[in-house]
């Protein structure tokens, strides 16, 4: 499967033309850019296949400015799958700055909540709190199996990286558990 086909399958079919525009901008090298592993997600009535990690250089800033708003958001979502945590955080910040709110953006943000980089989770938490409540509730209710997988990953990473710290599961001082609580109840935990 080619890189372009991977990305077309990583977003809803309604985005296919824009995805093709964006993938033309992805940096090319003498060797093929690498995507490592995939994550299959039921997204409404579609099955999306996101890369677990990608190993591309970033698109040049002047090329990003040629894209429409929706195309930029697609590109930013792609880079949330980057192997470098600093790059992932940069593109989450760009999604936040541009107030990107299509449901497929939410899917990419939630995928990051199942990872261990607290700085990225700290960026995602306020985005979720500002997400249109009706759409967030609808997404959560429509994707329970997906959220259960994310919850298991949050528990696993907490156990591996934070269990021995003061970040407790029971009182949700760990940001991953605060995000889960918010998604499940729609209410924030105040610390």
């Amino acid at each position: 499967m080619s890189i372009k086909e991977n990305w077309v399958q990583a977003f809803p079919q309604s985005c296919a033309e824009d995805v093709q525009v964006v993938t033309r901008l992805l940096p090319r090298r003498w060797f093929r850019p690498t995507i490592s592993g995939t994550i299959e997600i039921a997204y409404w009535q579609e099955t999306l296949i996101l890369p677990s990690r990608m190993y591309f250089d970033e698109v040049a800033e002047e090329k990003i400015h040629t894209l429409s708003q929706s195309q930029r958001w697609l590109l930013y979502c792609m880079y949330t799958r980057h192997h470098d945590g600093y790059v992932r955080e940069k593109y989450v910040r760009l999604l936040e700055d541009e107030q990107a709110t299509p449901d497929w953006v939410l899917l990419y943000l939630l995928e990051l909540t199942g990872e261990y980089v607290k700085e990225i989770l700290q960026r995602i938490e306020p985005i979720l709190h500002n997400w249109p409540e009706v759409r967030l509730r609808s997404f959560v209710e429509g994707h329970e199996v997906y959220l259960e997988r994310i919850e298991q990953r949050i528990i696993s990473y907490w156990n591996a990286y934070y269990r021995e710290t003061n970040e407790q599961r029971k009182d949700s001082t760990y940001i991953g558990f605060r995000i889960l609580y918010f998604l499940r109840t729609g209410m924030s935990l105040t610390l």
Side-chain angles (χ1 to χ4, degrees):
M1 186 179 300
S2 78
I3 300 300
K4 289 182 182 181
E5 288 171 342
N6 278 342
W7 286 115
V8 168
Q9 294 177 356
F11 293 96
Q13 282 304 113
S14 61
C15 299
E17 287 181 30
D18 283 335
V19 170
Q20 290 172 353
V21 169
V22 172
T23 56
R24 286 187 215 120
L25 297 182
L26 293 176
R28 302 290 183 238
R29 296 181 168 183
W30 291 105
F31 57 91
R32 204 171 183 194
T34 305
I35 290 179
S36 173
T38 58
I39 304 161
E40 189 172 306
I41 300 169
Y43 175 79
W44 300 117
Q45 302 303 317
E46 299 181 60
T47 298
L48 304 185
I49 303 173
L50 281 63
S52 295
R53 286 288 176 250
M54 66 176 222
Y55 299 86
F56 297 1
D57 291 333
E58 293 181 72
V59 172
E61 192 70 31
E62 61 272 5
K63 290 182 180 180
I64 293 174
H65 291 299
T66 67
L67 298 173
S68 70
Q69 182 180 58
S70 183
Q71 291 166 348
R72 283 193 313 274
W73 295 347
L74 289 163
L75 180 74
Y76 300 164
C77 285
M78 289 176 182
Y79 279 97
T80 68
R81 305 311 313 144
H82 199 271
H83 68 94
D84 184 323
Y86 292 107
V87 173
R88 292 194 304 273
E89 183 179 5
K90 171 185 174 180
Y91 287 94
V92 168
R93 181 181 41 79
L94 289 169
L95 287 166
E96 178 183 23
D97 290 348
E98 293 192 18
Q99 299 176 359
T101 58
D103 286 345
W104 46 265
V105 170
L106 182 61
L107 183 71
Y108 279 81
L109 293 174
L110 291 179
E111 189 60 35
L112 286 170
T113 65
E115 297 181 6
Y116 65 92
V117 182
K118 283 180 14 181
E119 293 79 7
I120 295 174
L121 298 179
Q122 290 165 343
R123 283 214 168 272
I124 292 171
E125 188 175 29
I127 296 171
L128 295 177
H129 285 275
N130 291 321
W131 205 269
E133 185 177 350
V134 171
R135 289 186 36 231
L136 183 63
R137 291 290 119 233
S138 176
F139 184 90
V140 167
E141 291 167 5
H143 296 89
E144 189 60 37
V145 172
Y146 176 63
L147 287 175
E148 287 173 10
R149 183 180 67 80
I150 294 295
E151 181 173 13
Q152 292 304 311
R153 290 180 61 210
I154 288 172
I155 292 168
S156 178
Y157 279 121
W158 169 79
N159 188 49
Y161 293 99
Y162 303 107
R163 184 182 194 110
E164 299 300 321
T165 69
N166 290 331
E167 299 192 43
Q168 299 299 310
R169 182 175 176 193
K170 66 180 182 329
D171 63 4
S172 295
T173 55
Y174 175 59
I175 190 167
F177 295 125
R178 287 197 320 260
I179 289 172
L180 271 176
Y181 182 82
F182 176 73
L183 290 171
R184 298 267 187 222
T185 67
M187 297 185 308
S188 299
L189 284 176
T190 54
L191 301 177

